[in-house]
Amino acid sequence: MQFRDLKTQYQALKPQIDSAIQSVLDSSAFILGGPVAELEEKLANYVGCKHCITCANGTDALRLSLMSLGVGRGDAVFAPDFTFFATAGAASILDAQVILVDIDERTFNLSPGSLEEAIQRTLLEGKYTPKAIIAVDLFGLPADYPQIRKIAEQYHLKILEDAAQGFGGRIGDRRACSFGDIGATSFFPAKPLGCYGDGGAIFTDDSRIADRLRSLRAQGRSSSSKYEHCEIGMNSRLDTIQAAILLEKLKAFEQYELQAVNQVAKWYTERLSAAVRTPFVPEGYYSSWAQYTIMLKDTETRDRVQRELKKKGIPSMIYYPFVLHQQKPYQGMGRSDGEFPAAMRAVRTVLSLPIHPYIKEEDVCHIAKVILENA
Ligand SMILES: *Cc1c(COP(=O)(O)O)cnc(C)c1O
């Protein structure tokens, strides 16, 4: 059994994908060829944003987004303590001060209450200027943007949506990647919409930001002349081959994969919700299920369940075994575990189960049985 079955997916889409790759080889337009612009247009339409700018990976998408907002030394950027390292790393590498915030235990996403406290504390201390909030759509579920938006407006902060795991999620009719001033996603193969290597994209409705992002991904070059540069940028492009693959995969994603993976989540929840903490999806929210993450009653139970699953050949993962304030680059901030009770409970008890659009109900049954016997 696979944790995320990319082989079965490839077999299902092989003729289209092979011919998409072949046509890029035939055209030999490997960098910024036709499929890149076509994909940017399709993605912008799907997400419901005016502009989509593709780039080399999700980490660059975050970093370029922060650069386009002018985030740098002296600025405070608020980010959840429980997320993949890149969320915070993308701000720190620009010399911004990352202020870590606890999560909402039910959704694993940024806690609006803790966010507001952190902003007030930062203002009171007066050492850094609050500039932006990075909200993460962890495991595929959009963060609480209605509340986060209110706080951002009150304190005049920009919102960067880290939708690396969130592509395809919704709140009401609005799609993930469109909730912030800027949205960033990743096409790493195991993400909800993945390519066959690295890739990323940035979304915004702001034309000025979009222009700056197009410049920043190409060394900061001017829009009028290829060898004239207005600022220091990066080299961060999506390969044409990856764009061609994504055009095919986006069709399957829209037509049936997103529904299929939601069906799988339902099968799990039906079988498990009486015995363990299953993922909470608030009313009106829709997840793209980058992960299906349960919480066990304590670390010992979690580790036992994982061991028993492994004995039966069932892969599972601990996303994440560490919170950010415990990671070496952030230890110097002097934050204690007690300041992040929800994030700490998460690292101690979470377990992510195999989920992807091609998993069968009988596999879910089998996995659930092992969990129920050991939880
Ligand atoms: C995967 C991920 C990233 C980084 O994406 P890459 O394409 O691997 O650079 C950033 N944030 C979160 C929450 C992620 O899960």
Side-chain angles (χ1 to χ4, degrees):
M1 194 182 295
Q2 304 268 318
F3 188 70
R4 202 154 186 105
D5 195 344
L6 299 175
K7 280 187 193 151
T8 299
Q9 184 193 46
Y10 172 57
Q11 286 310 317
L13 308 174
K14 184 171 169 29
Q16 305 89 291
I17 287 181
D18 287 0
S19 103
I21 293 173
Q22 187 60 52
S23 65
V24 177
L25 298 178
D26 291 336
S27 80
S28 293
F30 298 115
I31 300 292
L32 299 182
V36 176
E38 192 187 335
L39 177 70
E40 288 179 342
E41 197 192 323
K42 291 236 160 72
L43 290 172
N45 279 339
Y46 180 82
V47 162
C49 266
K50 278 200 199 121
H51 307 280
C52 168
I53 299 95
T54 53
C55 64
N57 56 68
T59 307
D60 281 6
L62 292 168
R63 180 170 170 182
L64 287 163
S65 297
L66 292 167
M67 288 167 84
S68 76
L69 293 172
V71 168
R73 186 179 293 276
D75 293 330
V77 173
F78 301 86
D81 193 34
F82 183 67
T83 177
F84 180 56
F85 188 77
T87 304
S92 297
I93 206 159
L94 297 172
D95 279 336
Q97 182 66 28
V98 170
I99 311 280
L100 295 169
V101 174
D102 202 11
I103 54 167
D104 178 328
E105 197 178 311
R106 296 177 314 160
T107 60
F108 301 117
N109 282 330
L110 195 65
S111 151
S114 307
L115 172 64
E116 186 158 20
E117 274 171 37
I119 295 168
Q120 287 174 348
R121 205 178 338 105
T122 305
L123 287 168
L124 208 64
E125 285 168 6
K127 205 166 160 202
Y128 303 103
T129 312
K131 187 94 175 221
I133 301 160
I134 310 181
V136 181
D137 302 341
L138 203 71
F139 305 150
L141 181 73
D144 185 354
Y145 292 102
Q147 289 305 321
I148 293 169
R149 169 64 57 198
K150 276 189 206 155
I151 295 168
E153 279 168 6
Q154 187 180 343
Y155 295 94
H156 307 291
L157 305 180
K158 297 290 185 192
I159 299 174
L160 168 57
E161 177 183 2
D162 179 349
Q165 301 180 14
F167 191 86
R170 289 199 309 265
I171 305 176
D173 298 333
R174 267 187 79 170
R175 289 215 163 107
C177 298
S178 77
F179 295 117
D181 297 279
I182 307 186
T185 197
S186 163
F187 303 123
F188 181 81
K191 307 282 174 166
L193 177 65
C195 62
Y196 289 168
D198 277 309
I202 308 165
F203 298 85
T204 185
D205 279 330
D206 186 322
S207 302
R208 260 191 22 251
I209 287 179
D211 287 345
R212 190 163 180 199
L213 285 166
R214 286 199 186 90
S215 163
L216 284 168
R217 81 167 167 189
Q219 311 286 359
R221 83 177 188 206
S222 87
S223 55
S224 50
S225 159
K226 192 170 170 183
Y227 293 105
E228 199 179 318
H229 298 81
C230 17
E231 62 180 320
I232 310 288
M234 297 176 69
N235 172 29
S236 187
R237 297 172 294 222
L238 181 72
D239 291 342
T240 311
I241 285 181
Q242 300 302 342
I245 291 165
L246 282 165
L247 279 167
E248 292 307 323
K249 293 194 65 183
L250 179 62
K251 286 184 207 157
F253 185 81
E254 281 194 75
Q255 283 166 11
Y256 60 89
E257 283 188 350
L258 190 55
Q259 286 101 293
V261 82
N262 269 275
Q263 179 60 59
V264 176
K266 221 181 244 165
W267 289 332
Y268 270 126
T269 300
E270 280 164 13
R271 286 166 178 82
L272 292 174
S273 64
V276 303
R277 263 270 286 285
T278 49
F280 172 69
V281 179
E283 183 72 35
Y285 282 61
Y286 188 78
S287 176
S288 56
W289 300 105
Q291 304 297 341
Y292 187 93
T293 303
I294 59 173
M295 278 174 107
L296 286 308
K297 61 174 176 284
D298 50 35
T299 306
E300 199 191 334
T301 309
R302 188 264 308 273
D303 294 349
R304 180 178 64 241
V305 167
Q306 184 169 43
R307 262 196 320 274
E308 293 304 318
L309 286 167
K310 191 173 177 201
K311 275 191 209 156
K312 304 250 162 42
I314 300 164
S316 64
M317 304 291 285
I318 296 172
Y319 291 128
Y320 292 91
F322 304 104
V323 284
L324 295 191
H325 79 264
Q326 295 174 332
Q327 305 269 358
K328 201 163 175 206
Y330 296 115
Q331 283 171 5
M333 298 191 312
R335 307 292 298 271
S336 68
D337 292 356
E339 294 175 69
F340 306 94
M344 290 311 300
R345 239 179 331 267
V347 291
R348 287 175 184 140
T349 63
V350 286
L351 189 65
S352 299
L353 306 177
I355 191 163
H356 55 81
Y358 301 89
I359 199 165
K360 301 227 162 41
E361 189 171 9
E362 65 214 56
D363 292 328
V364 172
C365 261
H366 176 51
I367 296 165
K369 198 162 154 266
V370 180
I371 294 166
L372 294 174
E373 282 166 6
N374 293 283

